Amino acid sequence: MKSLNQNVLTDVVNKLRDNSIEVVDLTHVLNEETPIISLPDPFVDTKGFKKEQISKYDDNGPFFFWNNISMGEHCGTHFDAPVHWISGKDYQHVDEIPAKKLIGEGCVIDIADKCEADPDYCLKIEDIEAFEAKYGEIPDHSWVLIYTGWARYNDDHEKFFNVGEDGHPHTPGTTVEAAKFLANEKNILGVGVETVGTDAGLAAAFDPPFPNHYFLHGANKYGLASLTNLDKLPPRGSIVIASPLKIEGGSGSPARVMALVEK
Ligand code: MN
């Protein structure tokens, strides 16, 4: 065991103390307004978040305040396990994922300008290659985080879902080719996004439908949805920590996701 003054973790804690490492919270507040995915017919939607008070220093519990909560596994800022998708059905449930695979370097690909111009914009292989040309190859064991600017709409459901006159949501995602590329050519932990799910609003009509889910989970990789504050991360070098609940046999879980960023 290393002595304290040589220990990299002690160094990290010291930098947390003096604020030279910042902890960026990538998680939205969870409440009854938290947006949840709305699927086209005939698919059944998940339930949103609900909170019900048990006691608050009253007759039901004079010394304590606590609540019961309920929600779907894929509610708010959340984690998608490989078994969430049929292509990953033989891989792990959320409780079976090694904790080591929840923590990795953040690689933030910024396509916010393109999504501002076109809400249906989907990450292309060229965007990934442009990122790598500028910042180096996406390393093994990293989280690829796609910054679209969509988190700023989280509290405005109309803008967040952006349903057009065609009745379909118009929100950014990933092309079939880029999803396949990230899943099969990169040894990453998974992909994180700011939208309600890891695929574009129109992705039910892609071939295959929902390609990010299909290819990433089919390659035993993970998803993070409804992230925020990606604009506060550098393109490379942050440490992203995802902490889904250890739900036995679960397909995913609401998660607190945070990043360590050295100033
Ligand atoms: Mn999900």
Side-chain angles (χ1 to χ4, degrees), residues 198-249:
T198 56
D199 271 293
L202 295 177
F206 291 7
D207 184 20
F210 307 103
N212 235 1
H213 286 86
Y214 186 83
F215 290 112
L216 284 159
H217 298 324
N220 196 21
K221 295 179 170 67
Y222 317 131
L224 292 171
S226 287
L227 297 172
T228 188
N229 289 328
L230 295 184
D231 55 319
K232 298 187 174 67
L233 304 186
R236 289 279 311 269
S238 65
I239 295 178
V240 174
I241 304 162
S243 61
L245 299 177
K246 207 166 178 174
I247 300 168
E248 189 172 40

Side-chain angles (χ1 to χ4, degrees), residues 74 78 80 84:
H74 299 253
H78 73 270
D80 291 350
H84 178 43

Side-chain angles (χ1 to χ4, degrees), residues 123-125 128 174-182 211 215:
L123 180 84
K124 294 185 166 80
I125 290 180
I128 302 165
T174 302
T175 61
V176 170
E177 295 73 23
K180 205 187 277 185
F181 179 75
L182 287 171
F215 290 112

